[in-house]
Amino acid sequence: MRGAIAAGSEPTAQAGAEILASGGNAADAAVAACFATSAGEPTLTSLAGGGIMIYRDAASGEVTVCDFFSDAPRLHRDEVAQLDFTPIDLDFGPTTQRFYIGAGSAAVPGVLPGLCTVLERYGTLPLSAVIKPACRFMREGIELGTYQGRAAKLLEPILTYHESGRGVFAPTGRMIAAGDRFKLPQLADTLEAMARDGWKRYYAEVLGQAMVAQFGPAAGGMITKADIEQYEVVFREPMSLGYHGATVLTNPPPAAGGPMIGMMLKLLGTRSLAALSPTGTEHARVLCHAMTIADEARAEGIDALTGGRFAFWRAKFEQHLEQGPLITPATVPAPESTTHVSVIDSAGNAAAVTFSFGEGNAHIIGHSGIMMNNLMGEEDLFPLGFGAAPPGLRLNTMMSPTLLIDDDGAVTALGTGGANRIRTAIVQVVALLRDHKLSAEQAVAAPRVHYENGVLNAEVFGRDDDGAGLADLGARQLVRFD
């Protein structure tokens, strides 16, 4: 079966392409690519995090969101006698951001149950076939590229904090770097054992038991056997809205990312963006005000984004545009460890999947080669404080894998990593595709802006005066990046 795949590394994309070439469909290829991220993007995610997939079945036209993001453990942090919740400061250059690692930072993972459930529901190939490219890469090794080298250097304080992490990411005594050949044969062993013994059995009896032992209350964590046994992959109807001759389908509540995308697109739909230069300051100003309104609505709760108050938010949007300057407190956001895969096969089946493990909690699960997540230690996920997460419930996420279906039937699958930047990146790509009629390659490559909490992040626009023009919009801080 022919098709197309986009991913965060060449090995990731190659794994999916091999599955398409062998007759697999979009679901098979997406799952294969996700497994291969452990070889091609070993510092960006792991199979013990959380994720979201949106899938379109071409035969029926049905689109479904598969939610396998992480749950908060059922135990509250206050119920653990000695919570292992260790602060680590990472240096992102313009800012330093604090994360928390250790057993107490682990949320209930969903990636392996999610990928295997998607494969059973939508795939055409067995797990044993789908894992083959990833296992080959892990045994033969993959040469790390420049971006992976930078990510490894950034995350070194976490990935080498514990001896189990050092065994994977610093096997020779130093942290892996660009140009090194990265191997992970123990994870290949794990995946092959899952395929041989049945993934549900292996997950419960081997990985699940190891997670309870390492990240349960006896070890300073909050995960219990009940958390592992009662975790559910949830299938939801996507959030749907029209935008200039196309249907946008994305992640619905309880996640916040999709509703924020919907709010921004509805606001932008009231303006004539096509009349503005996509690299001009007026275009950026309109985008920034839409981002501001979506942030304000989110602060009131998901219902404020999806309820019947659009007329109110549109009026505020128009008022903001008349005022001109953007004035709010300033903080500098930092990037996150997240990756994305998009696949469309020749039959028209489409899959877009985003997943993350935070930055990792520094501990490898047993001898599996899989680093546990630190999603309970991500401040971005807990704006009301770490103790505010409702025990046992799905964590909120900005992940927003999205499908764009034109009125003529053409399908675009898109998504990205980037934490809070996910929602604004997707909105801008959709606008460039629909308002400015750019090709997919042009829309993805075009410079973008992200405005939040008084900080305007702007990619270089190619003109010397663009930075000054964007600063004149009134943001208190301008961060430019290539």
Side-chain angles (χ1 to χ4, degrees), residues 236-434:
R236 310 181 193 277
E237 290 187 11
M239 179 177 174
S240 176
L241 69 145
Y243 187 78
H244 295 177
T247 300
V248 179
L249 300 159
T250 191
N251 193 16
M260 294 184 78
I261 288 171
M263 172 66 79
M264 285 184 276
L265 288 176
K266 288 176 71 175
L267 293 171
L268 295 176
T270 68
R271 313 295 294 183
S272 298
L273 286 186
L276 304 175
S277 167
T279 59
T281 55
E282 180 60 19
H283 193 276
R285 190 174 78 91
V286 174
L287 287 171
C288 289
H289 281 302
M291 295 171 193
T292 300
I293 295 299
D295 285 344
E296 290 182 9
R298 183 201 180 193
E300 294 190 13
I302 297 295
D303 290 344
L305 289 162
T306 59
R309 300 176 60 202
F310 179 69
F312 169 79
W313 295 113
R314 177 178 177 178
K316 290 201 70 174
F317 177 57
E318 298 295 338
Q319 292 171 2
H320 275 250
L321 287 172
E322 292 177 3
Q323 293 169 358
L326 306 167
I327 303 174
T328 52
T331 58
V332 179
E336 301 294 329
S337 297
T338 304
T339 195
H340 180 85
V341 175
S342 291
V343 185
I344 300 177
D345 64 32
S346 59
N349 301 302
V353 54
T354 310
F355 66 113
S356 174
F357 75 147
E359 293 71 33
N361 82 341
H363 297 265
I364 302 296
I365 303 171
H367 302 287
S368 68
I370 303 172
M371 179 165 282
M372 191 60 158
N373 71 78
N374 72 323
L375 293 173
M376 297 300 291
E378 285 270 6
E379 288 184 325
D380 290 343
L381 291 175
F382 303 102
L384 300 179
F386 289 117
L393 297 184
R394 191 69 31 111
L395 297 177
N396 204 318
T397 178
M398 278 296 158
M399 291 181 182
S400 306
T402 299
L403 297 181
L404 186 68
I405 303 179
D406 295 357
D407 288 348
D408 64 4
V411 179
T412 303
L414 64 155
T416 182
N420 287 349
R421 293 185 180 90
I422 290 174
R423 61 187 186 247
T424 56
I426 289 175
V427 164
Q428 289 171 82
V429 170
V430 169
L432 290 170
L433 290 171
R434 302 307 306 168

Side-chain angles (χ1 to χ4, degrees), residues 85-92 95-101 154-155 158 332-336 359 374-382 386:
F85 201 65
T86 303
I88 291 285
D89 293 328
L90 296 184
D91 183 4
F92 289 92
T95 184
T96 298
Q97 185 166 346
R98 173 161 291 184
F99 301 93
Y100 291 84
I101 62 173
L154 172 68
L155 293 168
I158 292 177
V332 179
E336 301 294 329
E359 293 71 33
N374 72 323
L375 293 173
M376 297 300 291
E378 285 270 6
E379 288 184 325
D380 290 343
L381 291 175
F382 303 102
F386 289 117

Side-chain angles (χ1 to χ4, degrees), residues 112-123:
L112 281 172
L115 295 179
C116 293
T117 300
V118 164
L119 190 64
E120 291 176 342
R121 182 161 178 165
Y122 298 116

